Amino acid sequence: MIDRPESGARDYSLPTSDQSPIHSDQLPNPPDPCKDISNPSLTPKENTEQQDEDPLSNSTIPTDQSPENILEVTTPTRLVHLENKTIGYQLPFRQNHGKPPNRYSHDIGKTSKYPIANHVSTEKLSEPLKTFVRQLSAIHIPTKVSEALKDPKWVKVIKDEMKALEKNQTWTLETIPRGKKTIKCKWVFTIKHNADGSIERYKTRLVAKGYTQTYGIDYEETFAPVAKLNTVRVLLSLAANLDWPLHQFDVKNAFLHGELTEEVYMDVPPEYNTTHTRTVCKLRKALYGLKQSPRAWFGRFTMTMKNNGFKQCNSNHTLFLKYRKGKVTSLIIYVDDMIITGNDKQEISQLQDYLATEFEMKDLGGLMYFLGIEVA
């Protein structure tokens, strides 16, 4: 038997004659806390009608001013209407409406609040590293051609690069055909440093803005394979166990050797003197920045290696092998860096001479670093 509740609430007690076990599914449903049950004599329908007539009867605003019902926020009460129901919320009035915070003040940008010099220091670095950091901070790299032409060192570098492009027959000057569009280009400048921070050389490169190219018009395929790291590890393991020599070479301006099959027109490079206004550069060979440059370069290199008797590996297209008199010579390439190894020293020397006649090669000597791997 459940004690009878106080007056004003419904009785959910069971009759005394029922002696059977009580199950949870036999209990009546508990009252809905959202409904007003203060008057049990009203039916649910009549109770709903009374709520519709008096919208404030179900308000959550407490009328009793007992200590537990005193509101903590003393701001005025706003009544927010949601779905034809009035609900009381304590919303503070906004005092800074229309006023930006102080962090957006125009005076803050004039002086740095937290200068980086107060947090970064070179005191704990060794003297060679200090010299290297100072050298990097003291040198300014130009971002525009007009700025670079004021320095004789950069002027010489630009002229040397233009001579290399003309020698390679990268383009021919022609009048742009009707209905054709050109892609733009720009000069990119950088400085190569030695390990001690001294300047090794100034370097510049003419780069085409490939993002202005249109697929199907200026280029088709762009994919070019690169060396798999597992294959490089296998070659290093063979060289270590069989005592094979490891030679590393680099191709200068590798992408300039790729021959284009598409009809691509480019604007005349900045500061390049021409007599006609409608004269443009029709690209014959690939240029850095073009979408198809990696594929064109690798196609040219693959054809060169096959003409010298090498076969392309089926599992890794960047690996080239040649068997001669029971000896093997292998070459693997990653973009423009290549490793040559094998037990046929005569064939390795012949391959070096052959590649030097086809491309402008740079002999890096014995293999030291390749794809982040240090070889000792």
Side-chain angles (χ1 to χ4, degrees):
M1 172 66 67
I2 302 177
D3 294 340
R4 181 176 299 276
E6 298 178 359
S7 61
R10 295 181 182 179
D11 186 7
Y12 293 95
S13 60
L14 296 176
T16 56
S17 59
D18 189 0
Q19 300 298 331
S20 60
I22 300 175
H23 299 280
S24 59
D25 54 353
Q26 297 177 356
L27 292 174
N29 295 328
D32 190 352
C34 296
K35 294 182 179 180
D36 185 7
I37 57 174
S38 59
N39 189 0
S41 62
L42 294 176
T43 60
K45 182 176 181 180
E46 295 173 348
N47 196 7
T48 305
E49 294 176 356
Q50 183 181 2
Q51 290 180 0
D52 295 338
E53 294 176 359
D54 188 7
L56 295 178
S57 61
N58 198 24
S59 175
T60 58
I61 302 176
T63 57
D64 185 11
Q65 294 299 325
S66 56
E68 61 272 10
N69 291 332
I70 295 177
L71 299 178
E72 295 181 359
V73 182
T74 59
T75 55
T77 303
R78 298 181 185 180
L79 297 180
V80 182
H81 297 273
L82 297 176
E83 297 181 359
N84 297 328
K85 294 182 180 180
T86 304
I87 304 176
Y89 286 94
Q90 300 298 325
L91 299 178
F93 288 99
R94 184 176 177 182
Q95 302 296 336
N96 61 343
H97 180 69
K99 299 179 181 180
N102 293 331
R103 62 178 179 272
Y104 298 128
S105 176
H106 62 279
D107 298 332
I108 293 181
K110 295 182 180 180
T111 58
S112 178
K113 188 175 181 180
Y114 304 102
I116 193 172
N118 297 342
H119 307 277
V120 179
S121 176
T122 59
E123 294 181 357
K124 296 183 179 180
L125 297 179
S126 60
E127 287 301 326
L129 289 179
K130 286 184 181 180
T131 306
F132 185 75
V133 173
R134 292 168 187 166
Q135 188 74 11
L136 292 180
S137 304
I139 296 177
H140 173 68
I141 300 177
T143 57
K144 298 180 180 179
V145 183
S146 57
E147 185 181 356
L149 292 177
K150 299 178 182 179
D151 193 338
K153 297 186 292 294
W154 290 111
V155 173
K156 181 179 181 303
V157 173
I158 293 176
K159 291 181 178 180
D160 294 342
E161 183 69 13
M162 290 300 300
K163 290 180 181 179
L165 294 173
E166 293 175 355
K167 179 182 178 181
N168 195 42
Q169 298 179 355
T170 306
W171 62 67
T172 57
L173 295 177
E174 298 182 6
T175 303
I176 183 172
R178 186 180 301 275
K180 293 290 184 179
K181 295 182 179 180
T182 60
I183 61 175
K184 299 183 181 298
C185 60
K186 66 176 181 178
W187 288 99
V188 178
F189 305 95
T190 184
I191 297 177
K192 298 290 185 179
H193 295 271
N194 294 317
D196 57 352
S198 60
I199 298 177
E200 179 186 357
R201 61 189 176 98
Y202 295 85
K203 184 178 180 180
T204 184
R205 179 169 289 167
L206 184 65
V207 179
K209 297 182 179 181
Y211 56 85
T212 60
Q213 291 182 268
T214 304
Y215 178 76
I217 299 177
D218 300 321
Y219 69 97
E220 293 291 343
E221 296 293 337
T222 60
F223 173 75
V226 294
K228 296 179 181 179
L229 191 58
N230 290 338
T231 308
V232 177
R233 290 172 175 167
V234 170
L235 287 180
L236 297 180
S237 177
L238 289 174
N241 288 279
L242 302 177
D243 197 19
W244 287 356
L246 288 168
H247 301 279
Q248 186 176 11
F249 294 89
D250 178 72
V251 182
K252 294 183 179 180
N253 298 326
F255 284 3
L256 303 183
H257 298 283
E259 297 181 357
L260 298 179
T261 57
E262 301 87 0
E263 189 177 4
V264 182
Y265 294 92
M266 185 185 71
D267 289 343
V268 177
E271 305 301 329
Y272 189 82
N273 296 326
T274 57
T275 56
H276 302 285
T277 57
R278 289 183 55 84
T279 301
V280 297
C281 299
K282 184 178 181 180
L283 297 180
R284 302 292 181 180
K285 294 185 179 180
L287 200 66
Y288 283 91
L290 292 179
K291 297 287 188 179
Q292 64 269 39
S293 292
R295 184 179 182 88
W297 150 245
F298 187 77
R300 168 72 188 283
F301 183 79
T302 300
M303 182 178 60
T304 303
M305 293 297 295
K306 290 183 177 180
N307 293 337
N308 195 30
F310 280 79
K311 293 184 179 181
Q312 198 171 12
C313 183
N314 293 328
S315 60
N316 190 350
H317 290 176
T318 60
L319 178 63
F320 299 88
L321 302 173
K322 184 177 182 179
Y323 299 94
R324 190 177 72 92
K325 298 180 180 179
K327 296 183 179 181
V328 62
T329 304
S330 63
L331 181 146
I332 191 168
I333 185 171
Y334 188 94
V335 187
D336 57 352
D337 293 329
M338 59 187 70
I339 301 175
I340 301 176
T341 185
N343 56 359
D344 193 345
K345 296 183 180 180
Q346 182 180 356
E347 182 61 31
I348 294 176
S349 178
Q350 181 182 351
L351 177 61
Q352 296 176 11
D353 298 336
Y354 176 73
L355 292 177
T357 58
E358 294 289 331
F359 312 108
E360 189 175 357
M361 305 291 294
K362 184 178 180 181
D363 190 357
L364 301 179
L367 181 62
M368 297 292 294
Y369 297 94
F370 190 77
L371 299 182
I373 301 176
E374 182 180 0
V375 181

